Amino acid sequence: MSANARILCPTLKQRLMTAEKAAELIPAGANVGMSGFTGAGYPKVVPGALAERIRKLNAREGSEPFRINVWTGASTAPELDGVLAEVDGIEMRLPFQSDPICRQRINNGTMDYVDLHLSEVSQYAWSGFLGKMDIALIEVAGIREDGSLIPSSSIGNNKTWIEQADKIILEVNSKQNIKLEGMHDVYYGTALPPDRKPIMLTDPADRIGEFYFECPPEKVIAVVESDAADRNSPFKASDETSQKIAQHILDFFEREIELGRLPKELLPIQSGVGNIPNAVLEGLDAGPFKNLTAFTEVIQDGMLKMLKSGTLSVASATAFSLSPEGIKEFDENIDLYRDKIILRQQDISNHPELARRLGIIAMNGMIECDIYGNVNSTHIMGTRMMNGIGGSGDFARNGYLSIFVSPSIAKDGAISSIVPMVSHVDHTEHDVKVIVTEQGLADLRGLSPRQRAREIINHCAHPDFRPALHDYFERALHSGRGMHTPHLLGEALSWHQRYEEEGQM
Amino acid sequence: MSANARILCPTLKQRLMTAEKAAELIPAGANVGMSGFTGAGYPKVVPGALAERIRKLNAREGSEPFRINVWTGASTAPELDGVLAEVDGIEMRLPFQSDPICRQRINNGTMDYVDLHLSEVSQYAWSGFLGKMDIALIEVAGIREDGSLIPSSSIGNNKTWIEQADKIILEVNSKQNIKLEGMHDVYYGTALPPDRKPIMLTDPADRIGEFYFECPPEKVIAVVESDAADRNSPFKASDETSQKIAQHILDFFEREIELGRLPKELLPIQSGVGNIPNAVLEGLDAGPFKNLTAFTEVIQDGMLKMLKSGTLSVASATAFSLSPEGIKEFDENIDLYRDKIILRQQDISNHPELARRLGIIAMNGMIECDIYGNVNSTHIMGTRMMNGIGGSGDFARNGYLSIFVSPSIAKDGAISSIVPMVSHVDHTEHDVKVIVTEQGLADLRGLSPRQRAREIINHCAHPDFRPALHDYFERALHSGRGMHTPHLLGEALSWHQRYEEEGQM
Ligand SMILES: CC(C)(COP(=O)(O)OP(=O)(O)OC[C@H]1O[C@@H](n2cnc3c(N)ncnc32)[C@H](O)[C@@H]1OP(=O)(O)O)[C@@H](O)C(=O)NCCC(=O)NCCS
Ligand SMILES: CC(C)(COP(=O)(O)OP(=O)(O)OC[C@H]1O[C@@H](n2cnc3c(N)ncnc32)[C@H](O)[C@@H]1OP(=O)(O)O)[C@@H](O)C(=O)NCCC(=O)NCCS
């Protein structure tokens, strides 16, 4: 079905135009709310046309640089973040990105990046201190006769952008499976305080909203057709390191169930994207588990398999993040998945109220953690942004169990992921319950900092770095300084410094 | 009315005994859940008798050291933490303390301290990984005929301790105003996931629970009488520094109201204890505000005044923290306060679901913050525990606005509270919205790290330290390292190191 055939509202059909024409409607300095979450559901043609326009404008001598502020759900893809960053078209970016060119600009100081908890973005936009949203640029799977919109492969902040923007540009993408219709749950019950009400969701399978976005046709200034697939990363078969990490987590779950501290269906799972989380999902699928649930940000390949096998009964998320094979599997068997997947806006998928109530088991990657259990998810050597905190803080703080995972070493052993003191803190000692590397698992619950240090060094550090970590800890213990969290201030960050100077921790 | 006259349940009256006898019922190694929150409602006689018993036992040659694990609501008083720490009777302490002798033991390594978010303690205890609670030792204002209990001047974790403990020791304190009866709201709707339900509270004035603790009489192994007042700190008249900080906050509120970003009744206020928060409350009371509400941990002197004047219509908390004059005022005018104050258990007063829904304005003290907006609330020079994180994380992460306050310098100017990099992180850059010192206010919302640095240095740092902070930041910017969060790793903690070595940052 062509994109054109998916535009059923006569008024909006009149606004059909090329991506180039639509891009001309975006003024310099605009705050633009774009769709897109983890490489799914982002606009695919207008950003490129806009980048081209910016490139031309900025090439003219003496012209004021043309830049916009880009707000999204989370990360997008080269066709959005990449092309706009390439032409230096982004003044400020929020709330999350993972694009190589964006990252370069953030780290060379030519782009401002505001790294936010994903659950908080829409309330920030509503409360007004981020400024007025000028334009929303949203990919949809179709436009209904009454002007309401069929969401695409992610929801993210789209509901908020559509409500908040003065003007709206829609991209209707005919590559998105039209059977996505009915899989979304758009909740219109949110409000700013003091008018907030309880969110009456008590199970990941609960539906509390609508299938469609409401959208006042008079705000829509352009409709553009597109026909390009979401650009997701190919699926890598899990490696030995990931499998070992997964096994430690599975053993931990089994022990907790035996001890009566977790139900045998576990609790709703939240899982970051990537190699290790996918290995954990594979492990769960191979194990004795049945009727698990997921309340998470993204649906990964592993979750499709689990839904098919019955390991997982339902998965609630705000976006897909499937490999090309995953997309194929999903498209071919969409009738099987339709009833078992619910896509929600990110202020609901990541909501503190729901994370706490449902008792989420949060599993996320980390860059490094220190011997006291502080986790760095965002900064390389304390200064360079990797991606951002994303939803990890929403789930780690308010969930039931927060598990952070990483290989114990990086860059072929030049870097230890367990360090004396992290170079940046995203998750404090108060929020981190379990640390896992391929070496083992450290259960930090109920431990004091000194107890945690021994647990982490002995169970998680790589043997090559273990003696140096013990040595640091012992010398800190005998330094005559405070013994609650023993540190040698002059040495605490020396591992990172050594890496920067010598290429080896 | 004597304590004896407050014990109406015949079965429990039979368990009356001396504090010494009751203390003998507590075995070595026990996990003991005690009442007490911010110097209110803690047991006042059994801990002293237990300390005396421990002192004697430990003096006997060759004896195994007698120690227990002490779990409370939050901080208590010298009669509990002080006496037990004095005799080295505490193996492990959670979740919060502020006692000088405890602090000394924590920092010399002779006591383990587990510093937890106050909203999470009861779910930790329920989930079982902290171990079995052997004994609950709870102060109450009275025992009713059916064995149910009239809570005292704090609730804290008492509901959970009474439910979780195998055995219960009650202290009936006749000094507590018997008219406290009816001021509490004990909620019995909590559960572990997957059985949690929405908490149907949408206004700080809402009542969702019972006046009394349910308590199975067969679990009560001792009832002890006491007649001692809560030991709270005297009220200090606010100084110039506090008044300046308060004024910056009041100006900020007025601007936010003007801009339509806060309602004119503000949003429910949470306020840490101490000099500065009390000055803010005084300022609010002197200003144009009417019908404000508080949803907080503790009722301070300032809140009584505001309730009396009508500035505040209702205050919800888990404990009182009044000066001796405050207690007198409260006791003399209790009929006026009875309907305007609600005491709840701390898993409700600090609940993430409620903090988010109500949109709390959280105002808490800090030890230091860095130029990027990371806040240290707990550690002196990175190693020594001050008090603990308390509820500050519950409110800062999930509330609507998080404000952290501190004088810009400490120790007569030897220390700058604004540093290049904090020596410990309790509240990350993602959670800290506003920083205030007597120098001014930094509004960090929507700013990138580099923008935050300029805002904090220019508005909050003391003029004596401002040039050195600018210098650090500028050199970090030109270091050739990452420019998202520019740092000089070799110098980042040098201010703290210099203070440790030379007594001056
Ligand atoms: C932390 C995070 C970057 C780890 O990602 P990952 O893909 O699992 O990790 P990898 O092991 O592949 O490492 C990614 C890169 O960081 C590098 N790295 C890993 N640990 C490192 C360390 N301690 N120091 C320096 N670099 C490190 C790797 O070498 C790799 O670099 P490369 O791309 O140049 O090869 C990722 O989980 C993340 O962005 N988390 C924050 C957001 C989040 O948690 N979202 C979850 C909610 S969906
Ligand atoms: C951070 C905290 C300790 C500040 O307390 P306060 O009473 O407002 O602060 P003060 O300015 O009186 O400082 C307390 C002590 O710390 C010292 N101090 C303050 N800033 C310091 C710094 N940057 N470096 C070293 N010491 C510092 C002060 O000199 C003082 O020491 P002293 O007692 O030896 O004189 C306190 O707010 C706290 O414990 N917060 C964490 C818990 C919390 O937020 N609870 C709120 C929920 S109710």
Side-chain angles (χ1 to χ4, degrees):
Chain A
M1 182 161 57
S2 74
N4 196 289
R6 294 186 180 198
I7 306 168
L8 302 183
C9 170
T11 325
L12 292 193
K13 207 154 195 163
Q14 290 167 10
R15 314 260 155 84
L16 251 175
M17 63 183 78
T18 62
E20 290 68 30
K21 282 273 172 236
E24 280 172 20
L25 302 173
I26 301 175
N31 292 327
V32 185
M34 302 202 190
S35 61
F37 199 108
T38 336
Y42 55 92
K44 293 174 181 70
V45 292
V46 177
L50 178 63
E52 186 51 25
R53 181 173 162 230
I54 293 176
R55 200 187 53 72
K56 284 192 188 138
L57 284 172
N58 286 354
R60 288 193 319 209
E61 213 142 318
S63 63
E64 280 284 293
F66 186 121
R67 306 177 87 195
I68 61 167
N69 302 311
V70 176
W71 311 359
T72 61
S75 58
T76 66
E79 297 96 312
L80 195 168
D81 274 318
V83 292
L84 285 170
E86 179 80 45
V87 297
D88 198 9
I90 306 180
E91 173 82 29
M92 190 272 278
R93 181 75 178 87
L94 69 79
F96 187 83
Q97 62 74 43
S98 65
D99 181 79
I101 308 174
C102 257
R103 186 181 296 141
Q104 207 180 332
R105 288 216 171 268
I106 290 166
N107 290 324
N108 70 18
T110 56
M111 185 191 298
D112 274 310
Y113 177 46
V114 183
D115 176 19
L116 301 171
H117 295 301
L118 297 188
S119 76
E120 294 196 331
V121 184
S122 75
Q123 82 172 2
Y124 279 12
W126 276 103
S127 77
F129 65 80
L130 292 173
K132 183 87 202 77
M133 170 161 290
D134 302 294
I135 295 192
L137 171 55
I138 310 289
E139 175 179 288
V140 295
I143 302 177
R144 299 171 75 230
E145 218 168 317
D146 63 359
S148 65
L149 309 172
I150 306 171
S152 178
S153 51
S154 71
I155 297 195
N157 284 314
N158 295 352
K159 168 186 166 286
T160 297
W161 295 170
I162 291 169
E163 290 174 310
Q164 286 276 304
D166 285 338
K167 298 171 180 172
I168 299 168
I169 299 175
L170 299 173
E171 282 196 14
V172 182
N173 186 346
S174 57
K175 252 304 185 294
Q176 297 291 1
N177 198 319
I178 195 64
K179 287 196 177 167
L180 283 172
E181 184 172 357
M183 293 183 69
H184 308 87
D185 191 58
V186 186
Y187 179 61
Y188 279 94
T190 63
L192 283 180
D195 299 316
R196 288 197 179 135
K197 298 277 169 285
I199 299 169
M200 303 305 284
L201 183 155
T202 56
D203 187 293
D206 287 350
R207 290 191 153 273
I208 56 174
E210 320 291 325
F211 293 152
Y212 310 106
F213 296 127
E214 297 164 11
C215 177
E218 62 280 8
K219 291 214 294 189
V220 179
I221 56 169
V223 177
V224 178
E225 295 172 80
S226 84
D227 182 34
D230 283 332
R231 176 98 76 99
N232 283 312
S233 332
F235 185 74
K236 285 191 257 177
S238 66
D239 59 9
E240 204 192 320
T241 302
S242 305
Q243 285 164 15
K244 280 190 183 160
I245 292 176
Q247 194 54 52
H248 296 309
I249 296 180
L250 295 172
D251 293 346
F252 171 76
F253 286 158
E254 286 189 8
R255 209 164 51 243
E256 290 294 302
I257 293 171
E258 255 174 52
L259 292 170
R261 302 197 295 212
L262 274 182
K264 73 180 199 316
E265 298 82 15
L266 300 177
L267 287 168
I269 288 167
Q270 177 266 330
S271 163
V273 283
N275 215 359
I276 302 171
N278 254 317
V280 176
L281 299 181
E282 271 176 20
L284 285 169
D285 207 19
F289 298 101
K290 281 283 158 230
N291 285 321
L292 308 186
T293 59
F295 197 82
T296 188
E297 274 178 21
V298 290
I299 307 285
Q300 302 157 71
D301 286 33
M303 290 196 179
L304 295 187
K305 292 200 189 124
M306 292 167 82
L307 286 167
K308 211 166 185 176
S309 70
T311 305
L312 205 58
S313 64
V314 68
S316 163
T318 193
F320 287 98
S321 178
L322 299 174
S323 71
E325 308 93 87
I327 293 184
K328 190 157 169 280
E329 162 65 25
F330 176 70
D331 281 342
E332 283 172 7
N333 297 289
I334 194 161
D335 290 324
L336 186 153
Y337 295 117
R338 274 178 58 90
D339 300 337
K340 300 182 174 170
I341 294 177
I342 303 174
L343 293 191
R344 311 178 190 274
Q345 68 241 49
Q346 72 192 68
D347 45 313
I348 295 296
S349 65
N350 290 32
H351 203 293
E353 172 172 342
L354 303 180
R356 171 77 169 225
R357 182 181 306 145
L358 297 175
I360 284 169
I361 299 178
M363 298 184 278
N364 291 293
M366 64 180 183
I367 286 172
E368 57 180 6
C369 89
D370 66 29
I371 57 175
Y372 299 113
N374 300 286
V375 161
N376 173 8
S377 294
T378 57
H379 283 66
I380 305 291
M381 304 299 145
T383 64
R384 291 192 296 283
M385 173 54 60
M386 184 73 195
N387 302 320
I389 192 168
S392 56
D394 296 321
F395 297 111
R397 170 70 52 94
N398 293 305
Y400 195 68
L401 258 178
S402 65
I403 303 176
F404 286 92
V405 301
S406 171
S408 68
I409 48 174
K411 305 287 177 207
D412 292 328
I415 292 174
S416 172
S417 307
I418 314 292
V419 290
M421 179 187 266
V422 285
S423 58
H424 184 87
V425 179
D426 295 289
H427 306 285
T428 75
E429 50 161 344
H430 314 283
D431 289 331
V432 176
K433 308 291 153 62
V434 175
I435 296 285
V436 196
T437 69
E438 79 290 351
Q439 300 295 323
L441 180 146
D443 182 355
L444 308 180
R445 295 173 299 171
L447 301 188
S448 69
R450 289 192 305 275
Q451 294 170 330
R452 276 181 237 146
R454 298 201 168 92
E455 178 85 8
I456 292 173
I457 299 173
N458 290 332
H459 292 131
C460 297
H462 192 278
D464 289 353
F465 289 101
R466 216 173 275 171
L469 288 167
H470 273 303
D471 175 60
Y472 176 87
F473 178 57
E474 288 302 323
R475 285 185 296 116
L477 268 178
H478 295 97
S479 65
R481 305 290 176 201
M483 282 179 64
H484 180 61
T485 306
H487 265 306
L488 304 167
L489 293 181
E491 260 184 59
L493 297 173
S494 65
W495 292 35
H496 302 86
Q497 221 183 326
R498 198 155 49 238
Y499 178 77
E500 291 278 64
E501 286 160 13
E502 302 168 18
Q504 167 77 40
M505 277 189 169
Chain B
M1 181 160 59
S2 76
N4 197 291
R6 293 185 180 200
I7 306 169
L8 302 183
C9 170
T11 326
L12 293 194
K13 208 159 197 158
Q14 290 167 10
R15 315 260 155 83
L16 252 176
M17 62 183 78
T18 63
E20 291 67 31
K21 282 272 171 240
E24 281 173 19
L25 301 174
I26 300 175
N31 293 328
V32 186
M34 304 203 189
S35 61
F37 199 108
T38 336
Y42 55 93
K44 294 176 180 66
V45 291
V46 177
L50 178 63
E52 186 50 27
R53 181 170 162 233
I54 293 176
R55 201 186 52 73
K56 284 192 187 135
L57 283 171
N58 286 354
R60 289 193 318 210
E61 212 142 318
S63 64
E64 280 284 292
F66 186 120
R67 305 177 87 196
I68 60 167
N69 302 311
V70 177
W71 310 2
T72 60
S75 58
T76 65
E79 296 97 314
L80 194 168
D81 274 317
V83 292
L84 285 170
E86 179 80 46
V87 298
D88 198 8
I90 305 179
E91 173 80 28
M92 191 273 279
R93 180 76 177 86
L94 69 76
F96 187 82
Q97 61 75 42
S98 64
D99 182 80
I101 308 175
C102 256
R103 187 182 295 142
Q104 206 179 334
R105 288 216 172 268
I106 290 166
N107 290 324
N108 71 17
T110 55
M111 185 191 298
D112 274 311
Y113 177 46
V114 182
D115 176 19
L116 301 172
H117 295 301
L118 297 187
S119 76
E120 293 196 332
V121 184
S122 77
Q123 81 172 2
Y124 279 12
W126 276 103
S127 77
F129 66 80
L130 292 172
K132 183 88 203 79
M133 170 161 290
D134 301 294
I135 294 192
L137 171 54
I138 310 288
E139 174 177 290
V140 294
I143 300 177
R144 300 171 75 229
E145 219 169 315
D146 62 359
S148 64
L149 309 172
I150 306 171
S152 178
S153 51
S154 70
I155 297 194
N157 283 314
N158 296 352
K159 167 185 168 286
T160 297
W161 294 171
I162 290 169
E163 289 175 312
Q164 285 276 304
D166 285 338
K167 299 171 179 172
I168 299 167
I169 300 175
L170 298 173
E171 283 197 13
V172 183
N173 185 346
S174 58
K175 253 300 187 299
Q176 297 292 0
N177 198 318
I178 194 65
K179 287 195 177 168
L180 283 173
E181 185 173 355
M183 294 182 70
H184 307 89
D185 192 56
V186 186
Y187 180 61
Y188 278 94
T190 62
L192 282 181
D195 299 317
R196 289 195 178 136
K197 297 278 169 282
I199 299 169
M200 302 306 283
L201 183 154
T202 56
D203 187 292
D206 285 350
R207 289 191 154 273
I208 55 174
E210 319 290 324
F211 293 152
Y212 310 107
F213 296 128
E214 297 164 11
C215 177
E218 62 280 8
K219 291 214 295 188
V220 179
I221 56 170
V223 178
V224 179
E225 296 173 84
S226 85
D227 183 32
D230 282 332
R231 177 98 76 100
N232 283 311
S233 333
F235 185 74
K236 284 191 260 175
S238 67
D239 59 10
E240 203 191 320
T241 302
S242 305
Q243 285 164 14
K244 280 189 184 161
I245 292 176
Q247 194 55 50
H248 295 310
I249 296 180
L250 296 172
D251 293 346
F252 171 76
F253 286 159
E254 286 190 8
R255 209 165 49 243
E256 290 295 301
I257 293 171
E258 256 173 52
L259 292 170
R261 301 196 297 211
L262 274 181
K264 73 181 200 315
E265 299 82 16
L266 300 177
L267 287 167
I269 288 167
Q270 177 266 330
S271 164
V273 282
N275 215 358
I276 302 173
N278 253 318
V280 176
L281 298 181
E282 272 177 17
L284 284 170
D285 207 20
F289 298 101
K290 282 283 158 229
N291 286 320
L292 308 186
T293 60
F295 197 82
T296 189
E297 274 178 23
V298 291
I299 308 283
Q300 303 156 70
D301 286 33
M303 290 195 179
L304 295 187
K305 292 200 188 123
M306 292 167 82
L307 286 166
K308 212 167 185 176
S309 70
T311 305
L312 204 59
S313 64
V314 69
S316 163
T318 192
F320 287 97
S321 178
L322 298 173
S323 71
E325 309 94 83
I327 292 183
K328 190 156 170 279
E329 162 64 25
F330 175 70
D331 281 342
E332 283 172 7
N333 296 290
I334 194 161
D335 290 323
L336 185 155
Y337 294 116
R338 274 178 57 90
D339 299 336
K340 299 182 175 170
I341 293 177
I342 304 174
L343 292 191
R344 311 178 190 273
Q345 67 241 48
Q346 71 194 69
D347 46 315
I348 295 295
S349 65
N350 290 32
H351 202 293
E353 173 172 342
L354 304 180
R356 170 77 170 225
R357 181 182 306 147
L358 297 175
I360 284 169
I361 299 177
M363 297 185 279
N364 291 293
M366 64 180 182
I367 287 172
E368 57 181 5
C369 89
D370 65 29
I371 57 176
Y372 299 114
N374 300 285
V375 162
N376 172 8
S377 294
T378 56
H379 282 64
I380 305 290
M381 304 300 145
T383 63
R384 293 192 296 283
M385 173 53 61
M386 184 73 197
N387 302 319
I389 191 167
S392 57
D394 296 321
F395 297 111
R397 172 67 53 94
N398 293 305
Y400 195 69
L401 258 179
S402 65
I403 303 175
F404 287 92
V405 301
S406 171
S408 68
I409 49 174
K411 305 289 177 206
D412 292 328
I415 292 174
S416 172
S417 308
I418 313 292
V419 291
M421 179 186 266
V422 285
S423 59
H424 184 88
V425 179
D426 295 288
H427 307 285
T428 74
E429 49 160 347
H430 314 282
D431 288 332
V432 176
K433 309 289 155 64
V434 175
I435 296 285
V436 196
T437 70
E438 80 289 352
Q439 300 295 322
L441 179 145
D443 182 355
L444 309 180
R445 296 173 298 171
L447 301 188
S448 69
R450 289 191 306 275
Q451 294 170 329
R452 277 181 236 143
R454 299 201 168 93
E455 179 85 9
I456 293 174
I457 299 173
N458 290 331
H459 292 132
C460 298
H462 192 278
D464 289 354
F465 289 101
R466 215 172 279 171
L469 289 166
H470 273 303
D471 174 60
Y472 175 86
F473 178 58
E474 289 301 324
R475 284 186 297 117
L477 268 178
H478 296 96
S479 65
R481 305 288 175 203
M483 280 179 64
H484 180 61
T485 305
H487 265 306
L488 304 167
L489 293 181
E491 261 185 59
L493 297 173
S494 64
W495 292 36
H496 302 86
Q497 220 183 327
R498 199 155 49 237
Y499 177 77
E500 291 279 63
E501 285 159 14
E502 301 168 18
Q504 167 78 40
M505 278 190 169

